[in-house]
Each structure stands twice: as structure tokens, then as C-alpha cells.
Amino acid sequence: MRVLLVEDEPDLGAAIKRVLNQEKYVVDWVTDGTDAWAYLENSWAQYTLAIVDWMLPGMSGLELCQRLRNNKNPLPVLMLTAKDRMEDKVTGLDAGADDYLVKPFGMAELLARLRALQRRSPHFQPKQLTLGNLTLDYGNSTVTSHPAHPDKQAITLTNKEFQLLEYLMKHPNQIVTTEQIRNQLWEVSAEPVSNVVAAQVRLLRRKLANSGCGNPIETLHGMGYRLNLTDESK
């Protein structure tokens, strides 16, 4: 899952990003409303949620929400602000925000509100994702092959392994390029490493193979990767 965080307070932004990363979110953090709009307009990545401060340089969070809704973008938005009057809350919600969180707030409440937004989203993320004989569990970052089999054990994945397998499972039997994977799984500001995707695929393959899941990830040279669960012998 990927979040666009738009917050110009350095300490607060860093704290939110750190907590979200611990919860397995990929986070693009920007401090300017204009930059945030560029991220959204250019569709570099598919965002699950946006956390937007009201008062921002370049473009206010209010205007950012209005632009999103004027462009028929349904991205769920949590508005952060120090404004706590009822009139301000109404203004923010009318501009297109889906929820409103007044500063200061606790990180537990922030995470709870994000979960609530996801449940209300048309792209609601269930607790598990199953494709073929693989089941991803979002609660404990594991994958299980043949989950109904009594002898099968859940395989613990790192955040990046989990995100990679999730992305491939959401695009079954489709060719996804290295660039598509990098754009979705790594932050826009991350330093590009030429072989980072290939290295991550190699680690995930090894873990799946060592746990008896076979090798369902195909490499199509010059094209990308494809998850193929129809032939576990590969």
C-alpha cells in the first residue's frame, strides 16, 4: 500500500513517515502542495491514501483536495490541521477531504483513521489476499502455500518481499516491467539502484523455493516479470 504524505512540519512529517513505514506502507513525503499535485497528476505511482496538511506552501491542502475532486479522483484524503472550529471542519470536508484530524494527535489514532478510510474505499484491502495456492496475510506479513494443508507453515516476509509479492498477485499472469515495480514499491525520492528489483525478486524466489512453494515468478528477458501460478514446477 502506498501513501502520499503532504506535511511541511519536518518533525511531524518524519514521525508519520516512520510509523507508516513500520506498518508496511510505502510513503512519498512532500512538503509543498504544488509538488504533491505533480505527484498525483503525473501518476508515477498508484496511491492508496493521501494525508494532507491544511496549511502548505505552494498550494494549500484545501485547494489540493478541491483539485482532486474536480478531476474526479476518488483518492481517500485525511486532512491534518490545527483548525478545530466546526466551521473549519465543514469547510475541509466540503472541499473533498474524507476525514479530518486535529493537531496534536496520537499516532494510534492516525493509523485507526487510515484503516477506517481504507474500509470505506471502493478498493478496500481485505485481511488476506489469495491467488491460486498462495495466501498473503496482511496482519503478520506472511505467505502460505496450500493454506488448507495441515503441514504447511506460513513464511515470514520482509516488508519489501511482502510488497513485491502483493503487487505481483494483484497483476496475475501479466507482464510487469522493472520500472513499474520500482515506481510502486520504492519511494520517488529513493536513490535509484539499477539492480534493486532483480535483487528483490531473487530474494523472494529463494524464500518461496526453500519453503516448498516452487518458483511461480517468471523472468521474461527484456520485458519484465510475471506471476504464473499454473505451473509450480518452474
Side-chain angles (χ1 to χ4, degrees):
M1 292 175 284
R2 195 181 191 102
V3 171
L4 178 62
L5 171 61
V6 195
E7 173 57 66
D8 64 333
E9 294 182 35
D11 291 343
L12 179 58
I16 294 174
K17 184 177 185 298
R18 182 169 58 252
V19 168
L20 293 180
N21 285 155
Q22 291 170 352
E23 294 294 318
K24 302 188 290 293
Y25 290 96
V26 178
V27 182
D28 288 324
W29 174 26
V30 294
T31 58
D32 183 285
T34 303
D35 291 341
W37 180 250
Y39 276 40
L40 294 165
E41 191 176 34
N42 286 281
S43 301
W44 288 319
Q46 299 171 1
Y47 292 104
T48 306
L49 300 161
I51 304 171
V52 180
D53 190 22
W54 183 310
M55 301 298 293
L56 293 167
M59 180 191 302
S60 72
L62 205 65
E63 185 179 356
L64 186 63
C65 283
Q66 290 169 334
R67 285 198 182 188
L68 275 172
R69 303 318 178 209
N70 289 340
N71 283 270
K72 310 300 182 185
N73 189 326
L75 179 69
V77 175
L78 174 62
M79 180 79 77
L80 305 180
T81 180
K83 298 175 180 285
D84 59 358
R85 297 185 310 160
M86 180 59 67
E87 295 88 340
D88 295 320
K89 294 181 181 181
V90 170
T91 298
L93 295 171
D94 283 347
D98 297 276
D99 199 359
Y100 194 99
L101 189 55
V102 177
K103 302 176 182 178
F105 53 82
M107 291 300 169
E109 182 180 5
L110 173 72
L111 292 173
R113 288 177 180 266
L114 292 182
R115 290 192 296 269
L117 282 179
Q118 290 177 69
R119 288 195 296 270
R120 297 201 297 267
S121 169
H123 305 294
F124 170 61
Q125 181 64 67
K127 292 182 179 180
Q128 293 184 331
L129 173 64
T130 298
L131 180 70
N133 67 326
L134 296 180
T135 294
L136 275 180
D137 190 309
Y138 287 91
N140 54 22
S141 298
T142 61
V143 61
T144 305
S145 175
H146 297 291
H149 196 289
D151 296 330
K152 287 296 181 179
Q153 299 295 318
I155 309 161
T156 301
L157 302 176
T158 66
N159 280 356
K160 273 290 174 280
E161 290 166 351
F162 188 95
Q163 291 163 358
L164 174 59
L165 186 54
E166 176 193 30
Y167 186 69
L168 292 172
M169 288 177 69
K170 287 184 174 180
H171 299 81
N173 300 312
Q174 298 178 32
I175 299 173
V176 291
T177 67
T178 295
E179 183 179 10
Q180 286 174 315
I181 295 173
R182 187 189 299 117
N183 287 348
Q184 191 62 29
L185 270 62
W186 278 267
E187 300 165 13
V188 174
S189 59
E191 290 293 328
V193 179
S194 60
N195 67 338
V196 66
V197 173
Q200 198 63 57
V201 169
R202 186 163 56 249
L203 290 171
L204 178 59
R205 276 179 171 153
R206 183 181 306 155
K207 188 168 285 189
L208 292 174
N210 289 344
S211 302
C213 296
N215 178 20
I217 305 173
E218 297 179 271
T219 298
L220 294 95
H221 296 287
M223 300 174 69
Y225 301 94
R226 178 170 57 196
L227 184 67
N228 183 356
L229 295 175
T230 60
D231 185 356
E232 298 179 45
S233 64
K234 292 185 177 183

